[in-house]
Amino acid sequence: MKDYLLALDQGTTSSRAILFTRGGAVVSSAQIPFPQHYPKPGWVEHDPMELLTSQLQAAAQCVEKSGVRPGDIAAVGLANQRETAVVWERKTGRPVGNAIVWQCRRTADFCTQLQQEGYGEAIREKTGLVVDAYFSGTKYQWILDHVPGARARAERGELLCGTVDSWLLWNLTGGKVHASDYSNCCRTMLFDIHRLTWDEDLCRLMKVPMDWLPQPVPNSGDLGTIAPGVPYLENLAGLPIRGAAGDQQAALFGQGCFAPGQLKNTYGTGCFTLMNTGKAVRSQNGLLTCIGWGLGGETTYVLEGSVFNAGSSIQWLRDELGLIQISHEVDILAESVPDNGGVYLVSAFTGLGAPHWDMYARGTILGLTRGTTKGHLCRATLEGIAYQTADLIAAMEKDAGQKITGLRVDGGASVSDFMMQYQADLLDVPVERPEVVETTAWGAACLAGLGAGVWKDKEELLRDRKPGKVYLPQTDRSREYAKWKKALERAKAWEE
């Protein structure tokens, strides 16, 4: 029986590939970074060929290191950075220019114009999103308007566009599949999440031709096969591609959050919290309504919110303040003091994300004294991440109309035992860090495994899931949380 699954995890700064067993054990992995391009302040680009090549090389290296025969791999699954926009030639496959990355702010003025003209409510009603340069639709429009001849060529059918999942699928299948899964489609600001189709009015509003958009498809099923002659993957030709999802939805799936009310938080550069709501829930508290996945003819919806600065706060301690040399030292220093010494940090270095959406807020520290040490600052930094996450989850509880019963966590900063325990205390629920920490890649592998018949359904998949480390609430942190809230108000009032 083919019990191996290959996950391709294409991220913002690197491409990874991981080969898993059916039980979730990592057999081998490979990771290849690629350059970031910053042509102007606030602009972020990737060379699509550098992105693609790094992913193909990572896949080849991963399988070669494993010693597993390609014929023993049941299927391939894809996970990807979301919202990044790529445009390429239908005939040659050559990109017309660099990809515009999700972080890029070049279309902010147009988004402001859309809001001022009163389109915000209609866009949110159909897409579940707030109007923001974060999403792909206005990036496509920018490429059409600024790359010489692009609009005329697109209207003649000579060009194709897509997010990173589409770019990978098109190249892996030798140009046979131009598709995008629901979890990526819903991050474009062009997709009706209720009808599961591109919206004609939104495409017209953003001047994006519907004909060049990829075909929306469920997240698990037949997404083609690796074509003969794909560079670096000649030995993998014929492998079926059976799953795909945006990275955050893939992580939610990899965490086994299949029931409404279950949620996960990824502690990366920022924090991304997703709650399975089953049906679509319109947020009244500053969150986004998105598609989690389409599977077996059913569509699962999620509420999503993001904290802009989490792991980046730890990097700030290391790179800008020089308080630590390596990230793990923040834990050691935080635990070297009995409490935070009255110091509270709001890491709004680039504004506040959900549920506040305040781009003018700035990082704020309150409670400094001559007795404040590196340990107090490190502890306040980790506590601050937990506080912002708690704010996000409180908004989710209001929207969902129910209290959470637990939180599943992943991401680089989730290795902090101190912060995970503090998060459990703050939320007053168990916090679980899974045994399989590569949850994004594992989620893509699980979707592929379901599509390939490795598991017959999600219930069988859950039976294979191994429990991780659980942090149980030990201390009431409500008083500290209230004090941090005062610091939060100072951060939000910075421009007043």
Side-chain angles (χ1 to χ4, degrees), residues 225-287:
T225 59
I226 296 180
V230 175
Y232 307 102
L233 302 188
E234 292 84 356
N235 293 336
L236 303 185
L239 278 185
I241 305 167
R242 294 294 181 264
D247 51 10
Q248 299 307 320
Q249 288 97 327
L252 186 71
F253 200 87
Q255 289 275 28
C257 294
F258 300 151
Q262 291 183 318
L263 72 164
K264 69 88 188 173
N265 188 45
T266 297
Y267 297 82
T269 301
C271 284
F272 292 89
T273 309
L274 274 71
M275 174 188 278
N276 182 335
T277 57
K279 62 182 181 179
V281 173
R282 172 72 180 270
S283 176
Q284 304 298 321
N285 295 279
L287 305 175

Side-chain angles (χ1 to χ4, degrees), residues 180-453:
S180 182
D181 69 81
Y182 294 157
S183 70
N184 277 288
C185 290
C186 78
R187 305 291 291 188
T188 61
M189 226 159 61
L190 299 171
F191 190 72
D192 189 319
I193 62 173
H194 310 288
R195 296 188 297 123
L196 304 180
T197 184
W198 301 115
D199 186 83
E200 185 174 357
D201 293 335
L202 294 179
C203 288
R204 187 184 303 113
L205 177 64
M206 296 180 214
K207 301 177 184 177
V208 173
M210 291 186 69
D211 292 346
W212 81 327
L213 291 165
Q215 177 187 355
V217 295
N219 295 82
S220 184
D222 187 354
L223 300 176
T225 59
I226 296 180
V230 175
Y232 307 102
L233 302 188
E234 292 84 356
N235 293 336
L236 303 185
L239 278 185
I241 305 167
R242 294 294 181 264
D247 51 10
Q248 299 307 320
Q249 288 97 327
L252 186 71
F253 200 87
Q255 289 275 28
C257 294
F258 300 151
Q262 291 183 318
L263 72 164
K264 69 88 188 173
N265 188 45
T266 297
Y267 297 82
T269 301
C271 284
F272 292 89
T273 309
L274 274 71
M275 174 188 278
N276 182 335
T277 57
K279 62 182 181 179
V281 173
R282 172 72 180 270
S283 176
Q284 304 298 321
N285 295 279
L287 305 175
L288 305 177
T289 304
C290 301
I291 295 175
W293 49 80
L295 184 65
E298 296 184 358
T299 305
T300 296
Y301 292 86
V302 300
L303 284 171
E304 177 172 342
S306 57
V307 171
F308 291 159
N309 290 279
S312 56
S313 306
I314 299 170
Q315 293 169 349
W316 170 70
L317 294 175
R318 182 191 66 198
D319 300 339
E320 276 71 45
L321 298 189
L323 296 186
I324 57 176
Q325 298 300 311
I326 58 174
S327 296
H328 179 57
E329 286 183 52
V330 73
D331 255 7
I332 297 171
L333 284 167
E335 294 185 79
S336 71
V337 291
D339 53 43
N340 63 16
V343 178
Y344 294 88
L345 169 68
V346 181
S347 57
F349 303 126
T350 55
L352 289 168
H356 309 286
W357 295 109
D358 186 343
M359 59 185 168
Y360 299 110
R362 288 296 176 263
T364 301
I365 303 176
L366 290 185
L368 294 177
T369 69
R370 279 296 303 272
T372 299
T373 67
K374 292 195 295 185
H376 294 122
L377 284 172
C378 288
R379 183 169 178 133
T381 299
L382 295 180
E383 290 178 359
I385 296 171
Y387 290 135
Q388 288 197 76
T389 299
D391 259 8
L392 203 53
I393 290 173
M396 287 190 168
E397 289 179 328
K398 290 177 184 177
D399 277 336
Q402 62 185 89
K403 287 286 189 181
I404 68 167
T405 58
L407 175 67
R408 294 176 181 176
V409 299
D410 54 61
S414 71
V415 300
S416 169
D417 289 327
F418 170 82
M419 186 164 65
M420 295 303 97
Q421 182 59 57
Y422 201 90
Q423 192 76 79
D425 293 344
L426 194 58
L427 297 174
D428 195 29
V429 298
V431 168
E432 179 188 347
R433 186 175 62 214
E435 181 175 301
V436 180
V437 295
E438 300 288 358
T439 54
T440 297
W442 176 236
C446 290
L447 287 165
L450 287 167

Side-chain angles (χ1 to χ4, degrees), residues 26-177:
V26 175
V27 179
S28 63
S29 64
Q31 182 170 359
I32 297 176
F34 56 88
Q36 310 292 297
H37 302 281
Y38 308 100
K40 292 183 181 181
W43 290 27
V44 189
E45 297 181 351
H46 291 157
D47 180 333
M49 295 309 298
E50 291 175 341
L51 182 155
L52 174 65
T53 299
S54 65
Q55 186 63 79
L56 298 178
Q57 289 177 334
Q61 290 180 18
C62 174
V63 175
E64 183 178 358
K65 286 196 310 185
S66 73
V68 171
R69 295 186 303 115
D72 291 332
I73 299 174
V76 179
L78 309 180
N80 62 282
Q81 55 167 308
R82 305 174 299 173
E83 301 96 18
T84 295
V86 189
V87 177
W88 65 96
E89 295 176 345
R90 182 190 297 268
K91 187 173 182 180
T92 67
R94 289 194 299 261
V96 301
N98 278 351
I100 302 179
V101 179
W102 59 273
Q103 299 161 314
C104 187
R105 306 302 297 173
R106 73 184 66 184
T107 65
D109 288 346
F110 178 62
C111 290
T112 299
Q113 178 185 331
L114 290 174
Q115 291 172 324
Q116 291 174 343
E117 292 176 355
Y119 291 108
E121 180 60 27
I123 290 172
R124 182 149 197 185
E125 181 66 31
K126 292 180 178 182
T127 70
L129 307 176
V130 297
V131 177
D132 198 274
Y134 184 14
F135 305 111
S136 314
T138 58
K139 296 178 173 65
Y140 294 141
Q141 182 195 35
W142 191 96
I143 293 171
L144 288 173
D145 288 342
H146 291 83
V147 173
R151 183 168 294 281
R153 297 186 67 193
E155 291 173 351
R156 291 197 299 266
E158 297 175 12
L159 302 181
L160 299 174
C161 75
T163 43
V164 170
D165 61 319
S166 301
W167 173 238
L168 292 178
L169 273 174
W170 198 88
N171 281 280
L172 287 168
T173 62
K176 291 183 178 179
V177 176

